[in-house]
Amino acid sequence: MNHFVRNMLVIARRDFLSIVATPTFLLFLLAPLFMIGLGAIGGLGASQLADSARGAGRIVALADAADIEALRSADQRLRAALAGRGAPPTLLIRVAAPGDDPRAVMREKGSDTYAVMHGPLAAPAIVEQEAGSRSGRYLALLADAVMRDRAAGTVTPVEARFESVATGGTSVAAQQSMGFGAVFTIFLLTLLLAGQAVGMLAEEKGNKVIEILAAAVPLESVFLGKLLGLLGVAILFIAFWSAMAVGGGFIAATQMDPAAVAAANAASPAAAALGAAPATGWAFFIAICFAYFVMEFLLLGAVFLGVGAQAGTVREIQMLSLPITIFQVGMFSLSAAAASAPGTALATVAQIFPFSSPLAMAARAATDGDHAVHLLALGWQALWVGLVILLSVRLFRSGVLSGGGGWKFWRGTARAQGDSPALR
């Protein structure tokens, strides 16, 4: 076992240095600068998710059962008058019960609650997220409309009591945008970095280096060493750009006036949204997204190495990698849809399916504060990583020993075990 691990680490170091210690690696390291267009696409998708999530916002009226129909009728009239972009959020009317806490209603998960009205309609109390919000004023206008409908003559305008309260969390729209950003980032990095396996395998097959390695080192060590070396390159890539981002953010922060930033946040909810946080907290979110990236990279990298070994030429390697890339784009689409609809059956399917699970669970980490479910998901994904690597090692062995050019899975395995020429 020590000899096996030593051989694997030697191959990993060789592949790592063969990529990193070259001038072209600098171009690869700076590749994100040439991918601003893809980043713009990701930002557009995130903004669309945010817009769809804002549609899930609501205002709530806790009213007596006798007032429900009157509130609905007044709401329909007012919405018709305010049709268009000025229309208020969806109104949810609940029968008030003793002990109802409007603050608890505002903290309910699944949608953003902008304001809650409770108490008698003649003098309602309105709890709102932001003082002087349009949602709070609309609820006051709604109560006033009901009282005017009931009055036969002149009626005194309703005087509502307003109270602003901080919900202590981030909006659903912002968290779903973070989830989509995690899915897009992991997908882009995995596709960019795991694709190096195809290029390396094509080069080594072309100059016959892979055959020399197969003669000197067990193929299992070659496969795992290559996978580990590629993972090291990916981690170096992420560390470089993370350091650049942190350094750039630190420099930008030192150039800002704290008083001006605080004033801008107080005046603009959009600016204040920059301080949003995922449901699991930033530290856990970043750590778990990195773990999901490792799982996704190992899955895709193992498949690339196993399938690519079946090809005999560079063109065949590229052709075989195309279906894998298309499949991965499909997993990205499934996970992006799950990010926009957390808690649905579609999201559950994406979180369970092995090849989309890392992406979908990264999106869930932004909207669901449960930490234990991610540890369970990592165990589930690690099981599939082991199975995929086990199958890919056999494919890799059969492809290398047969010289590629066909799916000689069992034939290559039999040759490795020293069967007779007649069986070959």
Side-chain angles (χ1 to χ4, degrees):
M1 178 59 68
N2 291 336
H3 182 67
F4 176 83
V5 172
R6 187 163 56 249
N7 288 334
M8 180 184 69
L9 294 178
V10 168
I11 298 296
R13 183 180 61 186
R14 172 192 171 275
D15 286 2
F16 179 82
L17 293 178
S18 68
I19 295 176
V20 174
T22 58
T24 56
F25 181 71
L26 181 60
L27 295 176
F28 171 73
L29 201 61
L30 299 178
L33 296 179
F34 304 101
M35 304 180 69
I36 297 177
L38 290 177
I41 295 174
L44 180 61
S47 65
Q48 291 176 348
L49 284 178
D51 291 340
S52 65
R54 289 189 190 99
R58 65 181 186 178
I59 52 178
V60 180
L62 304 177
D64 295 335
D67 297 330
I68 290 179
E69 290 301 325
L71 285 170
R72 287 176 178 168
S73 177
D75 179 58
Q76 291 177 357
R77 294 199 314 272
L78 291 176
R79 285 182 185 277
L82 299 174
R85 297 185 61 87
T90 302
L91 174 65
L92 176 64
I93 304 176
R94 292 183 181 177
V95 178
D100 275 343
D101 184 1
R103 295 171 180 79
V105 175
M106 297 193 71
R107 290 192 296 267
E108 291 178 353
K109 294 183 178 181
S111 63
D112 293 329
T113 303
Y114 303 126
V116 179
M117 180 176 66
H118 62 105
L121 296 182
I126 299 175
V127 179
E128 51 188 351
Q129 282 189 5
E130 301 173 5
S133 67
R134 295 176 63 252
S135 298
R137 294 198 303 269
Y138 177 78
L139 288 175
L141 182 63
L142 186 64
D144 184 76
V146 172
M147 296 307 297
R148 289 182 181 277
D149 290 342
R150 290 178 176 176
T154 305
V155 62
T156 303
V158 168
E159 294 184 2
R161 294 180 292 108
F162 291 90
E163 177 184 358
S164 62
V165 58
T167 58
T170 303
S171 70
V172 174
Q175 289 179 345
Q176 289 189 17
S177 297
M178 293 176 195
F180 179 83
V183 171
F184 182 79
T185 302
I186 294 176
F187 163 75
L188 187 62
L189 289 176
T190 303
L191 205 59
L192 176 66
L193 298 171
Q196 292 294 308
V198 178
M200 179 184 296
L201 199 58
E203 180 183 353
E204 293 185 349
K205 278 211 165 191
N207 56 26
K208 306 301 181 182
V209 171
I210 192 68
E211 297 178 4
I212 299 174
L213 293 176
V217 180
L219 282 175
E220 290 81 2
S221 296
V222 175
F223 179 90
L224 295 176
K226 285 184 174 297
L227 194 59
L228 186 60
L230 290 170
L231 180 60
V233 173
I235 293 175
L236 176 62
F237 183 91
I238 294 173
F240 172 80
W241 280 105
S242 298
M244 293 288 289
V246 171
F250 179 77
I251 294 174
T254 58
Q255 303 300 317
M256 294 181 180
D257 183 6
V261 173
N265 289 342
S268 172
L274 295 176
T280 53
W282 277 116
F284 185 88
F285 180 69
I286 293 174
I288 202 66
C289 284
F290 177 76
Y292 287 138
F293 165 76
V294 171
M295 292 297 176
E296 185 75 3
F297 182 88
L298 292 176
L299 280 171
L300 195 61
V303 172
F304 270 127
L305 287 174
V307 174
Q310 308 306 308
T313 64
V314 175
R315 175 172 293 183
E316 289 181 2
I317 291 177
Q318 294 173 343
M319 292 300 294
L320 285 174
S321 66
L322 181 60
I324 302 174
T325 303
I326 295 175
F327 176 76
Q328 189 65 9
V329 171
M331 295 299 97
F332 166 72
S333 300
L334 176 62
S335 302
S340 64
T344 62
L346 177 65
T348 302
V349 170
Q351 292 160 12
I352 294 177
F353 191 68
F355 291 92
S356 63
S357 180
L359 299 173
M361 289 303 300
R364 179 169 177 172
T367 57
D368 188 352
D370 186 7
H371 290 185
V373 69
H374 297 286
L375 303 180
L376 181 63
L378 285 176
W380 169 253
Q381 294 162 19
L383 173 64
W384 279 95
V385 167
L387 292 175
V388 170
I389 289 178
L390 181 63
L391 177 61
S392 297
V393 164
R394 303 196 70 174
L395 286 173
F396 185 79
R397 170 189 288 275
S398 67
V400 170
L401 293 181
S402 65
W407 290 79
K408 306 176 180 64
F409 180 79
W410 298 109
R411 173 177 164 182
T413 304
R415 180 179 299 181
Q417 294 173 351
D419 289 345
S420 64
L423 296 177
R424 302 176 191 172

